[in-house]
Amino acid sequence: MQDNEMKEKQAEQEAAEAKAAEQETAEAAEAEKAEDAKNAEEAAEPEVDPKDAKIEELQNRLLRLQADFENFRRRTNIEKEQLSTFVTVNVVGKFLKVLDNFERAEASVEKGDNVDAVVDGMKKIRRQFEDAFKDLKVEEIEAQNAKFDPNIHEAVMRGHNPELDDEIVDMVFEKGYKLGDKVIRHSKVRVNTNE
């Protein structure tokens, strides 16, 4: 009986060993299949050409540069609008005082107050305008008796005066103004011709 038990145990052990060996063989086969599949995938993927990699890198850089430029343009437009608003507010602020004094002068005329006081008030308002222009660095373009310059003058008529040289401005119809070298409005003038 002991012999039978031993044979059974040995048979069981041999069966277990056979089963373990079979399982190891199956696992090894699975691992080999997985490695073959991996190698097949790698073989299927072509190697990356250095030129293609460089092209992709340059495309990415180009896209980033375009995005940076768009952001820069948007920021610049916003800053321009803010600067424009700031300048407009500054200029309007200088002329509001003048407008206030005009309204006072109108009220004074309606009341029928002293005409001399109204004339005096108008002179003061004109002086305020001139001061505002000076603060803004706006200058009147000198035209009367000056040589005609098409860059700053606009000839609207020709005149004849033998006492003046040719191309001399002998009458100003509308004053011109400039800011530095930038002409805001050309002087409208009559130019002398002795022909």
Side-chain angles (χ1 to χ4, degrees):
M1 187 145 160
Q2 242 181 17
D3 242 356
N4 280 342
E5 277 182 29
M6 263 172 109
K7 283 183 185 179
E8 282 180 25
K9 279 188 179 181
Q10 195 175 6
E12 282 178 14
Q13 193 175 6
E14 284 176 8
E17 284 176 7
K19 192 174 183 179
E22 196 178 296
Q23 193 173 357
E24 281 180 25
T25 305
E27 286 175 2
E30 282 289 320
E32 195 174 314
K33 279 184 187 177
E35 190 157 328
D36 286 346
K38 184 179 175 188
N39 288 340
E41 277 182 33
E42 287 176 1
E45 290 180 15
E47 286 188 29
V48 177
D49 187 3
K51 290 179 183 176
D52 291 340
K54 187 69 174 174
I55 288 170
E56 187 175 338
E57 177 192 339
L58 290 173
Q59 284 175 331
N60 289 336
R61 285 176 61 189
L62 177 64
L63 290 173
R64 282 194 300 274
L65 281 172
Q66 284 176 327
D68 288 345
F69 179 73
E70 283 299 316
N71 290 337
F72 169 76
R73 201 178 85 210
R74 198 174 305 115
R75 271 194 318 271
T76 303
N77 286 340
I78 290 169
E79 288 171 3
K80 243 195 275 187
E81 287 173 14
Q82 289 173 341
L83 181 62
S84 174
T85 301
F86 175 76
V87 169
T88 302
V89 166
N90 187 26
V91 171
V92 169
K94 292 188 182 308
F95 286 101
L96 284 177
K97 294 175 188 171
V98 178
L99 179 63
D100 291 341
N101 286 332
F102 262 123
E103 289 171 353
R104 287 185 195 103
E106 282 179 334
S108 179
V109 168
E110 288 173 7
K111 289 180 187 172
D113 286 354
N114 185 349
V115 174
D116 290 336
V118 172
V119 170
D120 188 46
M122 295 303 269
K123 287 180 183 176
K124 288 179 182 175
I125 292 170
R126 179 188 171 121
R127 212 171 10 257
Q128 269 187 313
F129 258 116
E130 290 169 351
D131 290 344
F133 279 163
K134 193 180 291 184
D135 287 348
L136 295 170
K137 297 181 176 37
V138 174
E139 301 172 13
E140 182 182 329
I141 296 173
E142 292 298 323
Q144 187 66 43
N145 296 324
K147 182 155 179 61
F148 176 74
D149 180 354
N151 296 317
I152 57 175
H153 302 130
E154 180 183 341
V156 293
M157 284 182 82
R158 288 269 180 198
H160 180 71
N161 184 346
E163 295 176 10
L164 294 175
D165 292 337
D166 279 349
E167 299 299 310
I168 297 294
V169 173
D170 68 345
M171 186 180 289
V172 178
F173 298 110
E174 189 174 83
K175 293 180 182 179
Y177 294 90
K178 63 182 180 173
L179 178 64
D181 291 336
K182 174 80 173 140
V183 174
I184 298 170
R185 182 175 79 185
H186 292 77
S187 300
K188 288 188 170 63
V189 297
R190 181 173 72 184
V191 181
N192 190 52
T193 306
N194 288 323
E195 293 177 3

